[in-house]
Amino acid sequence: MAALAHALRRHDVAVAVRSAVACAEAVAALGAATRADLYWAGRATLVHRPEDIAAYDAAFAAVVDEAVTWSAPSRPSPTALLVDAAADGDDDAVPDQAHDDPAAVLRQSAHEALRHADLGTCSVEERAELHRAIARLRVGVATRRSRRRRPARGGDELDLGATVTAALATGGEPLVLHRRAPSVRPRRLVLLVDVSGSMEPYARALLRFAHAAVASRGAGRVEAFTLGTRLTRITRALTTRDPDLALERAAGEVADWSGGTRLGDALALFVDRWGARGLARGAVVVVLSDGWDRGDPEAVAEAMARLHRVAHHVVWVNPLKAAPGYEPLARGMAAALPHVDTFVTGHSLASLEDLAALLATLGTADRPARRSAA
Amino acid sequence: MAEAAPEPLAPLPAGDVPDDPAGLRAALADHGYLADEGLATVVYLALRLRRPLLLEGEAGVGKTEVAKVLARWQGSRLLRLQCFEGIDAAQALYQWDHARQLLHLRAAEAAGDLAGRGTAAVEDELHDERFLVRRPVLEALGHRGAGPPPVLLIDEVDRADDEFEALLLEVLSDWSVTVPELGTVTAEVPPVVVITSNRTRDVHDALKRRCLYHWVEHPDFDREVAVIRLRVPEVDDVLAREVAAATAVLRDLGLYKPPGVAESIDWTAALAALGTRRLDAATVDATLGAVLKYREDAERTRTFGLDGLVDALRSRAS
């Protein structure tokens, strides 16, 4: 059975020592075991996800039947940029952005117009002003109910325990009614910013948004990563108070600015390395990307499905969504959508203000209804 | 959280658990649950090793039913805890019956006890067992006496949050829980624990490692027919085969919520109530609400064509 655990590890299935021990116990409990007994005893103790059943079957066959030798599929490394003939096209071929309707602009004040200006197409001066405005954004705190309850005036339930204790002091007469309410804890916010070529017009503005989020909520509760040909954690760099300096430091850490997109690989790497280990668990996760991906859309779908199952709420911010008649045709975007709870645009200051307001509301509300993983 | 190895327990008396998975499978079948080999083996191991069982799978594949049949078969109590977002320790473990405590206080005051025996003595009485409301988990651990240990069903654990999972892990590791006012309650005999998850969220690895894990699949065609016949005995083999074939076709349509065995059984019961002998397009149309619970799914099925559905199921059922 130890050989079985070992073979599974070779197939990229994590097997804890305790699971291997449990497996040995299970086999012992079955006594004189048939091949089927061995199979089920091993599967019940070593496999914790339906996705791993195939690997288990292979490992079982290799170890117990000594029949098949199984070689792990070679994964494309996330740093190798493969040019795929069937890809979405050139990374820098961004669809034309819609300009505001000029008549509408005239009716609005200049400031109003600027708030709705597309960050991807405005002038250098406008962009500088918008960046300053983004830096001033307050990103609200989404909260979750914690298990503790705290005394609260006007709480939603009577704290009879405290009332009884107080009544003891007044001869058993409950003169003061104590109330309590569930206490709330802030949820972690995780921002994943796509910095590949097609996102170039927006990436800097979105990174400033990430900086504003870190600044207004304090590090530790906000985490930021960039997605490109690789995955870079930039949380620490963004803790610098001055936005320009913070951006400079973050940019220094990101080696793949405006490169190609391996969205699926980068997302999978995030879920493997950070997400499932607790960083994204119960968190509000925001992906800021146009969904252009040169890799396999299946990879995007699978990574997003896994992310969706650990996160509390997944928001996808796509700057292209604002264009009239926008359809999520980019294959990565189409693959991700079934695993996204809220799909919004992020092409202008106004839409980022809306996003900041939205993030503050995604807390204790009931989990959105979700498709079960098919 | 540190993972302390649980104390080894004495094996169960041989009379309680059949000698092998096949024997258990027969026992479950006698009590109305047709398990396949894999599920029977895992349930057998859970009883033998006294480990909690984590059943994960699509809604309606019969996960919850496993706990119910175990309780029926062993003649033990079924304690069910339905999880939801924000479920807390109080709802799982215990609460104090404050209303009765207040009454007790007033009675003590009326009898002059507060002045006579002193406040502290009366206060101690307030945390007497009488005023403790045991919620399912504490109730399961508190089982004493000769009868079989209860079956604790923790349903849809994926809807609870991390903190609740951590609490659960603690309880399942030590089979004990501490009530501040009463001390620690430790199970004499660990309950049989069945945890179910629809996998809307991944359960924490530590909890999975503590349990025996089984992914429950939709049953194959023959087993589904057998389940329908067992649960709706008034229908004949032909109709049971047709319903099983129809749900199999529906599962291939890529629906939002594909029908599970629970829906097959509901559907058959509805058809039986209407006195249906054979499925045809009109009957399917009239009873679709018993098997599909989303408007979009019903629309998609009607777009696919009920006549086509009936043709497809006829070829499968024969």
Side-chain angles (χ1 to χ4, degrees), chain A residues 16 18 26 40 44-45 47-48 50-51 144 147 160-161 164 168 171-172 185 187 281 309 367 373, chain B residues 3 37-38 44-45 58 85 88 98 106 109 123 126 162-163 167 199 201-202 208-209 212-213 215:
Chain A
R18 288 192 54 187
W40 289 112
T45 48
V47 174
H48 301 140
E51 289 86 351
R144 60 181 175 81
R147 229 166 75 189
L160 273 165
V164 169
L168 274 168
R185 294 236 196 107
R187 280 187 190 276
R281 194 170 276 282
R309 284 199 303 265
R367 292 171 74 82
Chain B
E3 289 187 22
E37 180 190 57
Y44 171 83
L45 285 171
E58 306 261 330
E85 168 137 25
D88 61 16
H98 298 298
R106 301 302 304 273
E109 188 218 6
E123 196 170 349
L126 288 183
D162 274 8
E163 284 153 324
L167 169 81
R199 208 180 184 215
R201 187 176 68 82
D202 274 334
K208 285 181 165 180
R209 281 202 299 274
L212 292 165
Y213 175 86
W215 174 257

Side-chain angles (χ1 to χ4, degrees), chain A residues 200-218:
Chain A
E200 181 162 30
Y202 300 101
R204 288 192 174 269
L206 294 178
L207 279 178
R208 283 175 187 272
F209 179 83
H211 175 261
V214 173
S216 47
R217 298 178 57 169

Side-chain angles (χ1 to χ4, degrees), chain B residues 123-182:
Chain B
E123 196 170 349
D124 281 346
E125 284 173 13
L126 288 183
H127 293 131
D128 192 81
E129 290 264 356
R130 283 182 293 171
F131 303 115
L132 187 68
V133 182
R134 295 166 177 282
R135 307 284 301 142
V137 173
L138 187 67
E139 186 73 6
L141 295 178
H143 172 78
R144 299 284 180 267
V151 175
L152 174 63
L153 166 63
I154 300 186
D155 216 6
E156 301 189 343
V157 72
D158 51 320
R159 290 170 59 177
D161 48 25
D162 274 8
E163 284 153 324
F164 182 76
E165 275 184 38
L167 169 81
L168 206 52
L169 184 61
E170 237 174 302
V171 170
L172 298 180
S173 300
D174 309 336
W175 301 115
S176 71
V177 65
T178 302
V179 180
E181 299 88 347
L182 287 180

Side-chain angles (χ1 to χ4, degrees), chain A residues 225-240:
Chain A
F225 294 80
T226 59
L227 307 168
T229 51
R230 59 177 72 190
L231 174 79
T232 314
R233 186 180 184 191
I234 53 168
T235 312
R236 193 157 304 161
L238 291 183
T239 50
T240 313

Side-chain angles (χ1 to χ4, degrees), chain A residues 112-166:
Chain A
E112 225 6 53
L114 193 57
R115 277 188 63 235
H116 291 274
D118 192 310
L119 288 158
T121 53
C122 56
S123 72
V124 178
E125 295 80 24
E126 286 171 336
R127 184 169 304 165
E129 182 161 341
L130 286 170
H131 281 178
R132 280 194 293 278
I134 291 171
R136 289 193 299 267
L137 279 180
R138 311 294 295 158
V139 181
V141 182
T143 53
R144 60 181 175 81
R145 291 166 82 116
S146 81
R147 229 166 75 189
R148 291 186 176 284
R149 297 181 156 261
R150 54 177 174 72
R153 283 206 176 160
D156 62 350
E157 64 175 70
L158 208 54
D159 186 351
L160 273 165
T163 305
V164 169
T165 311

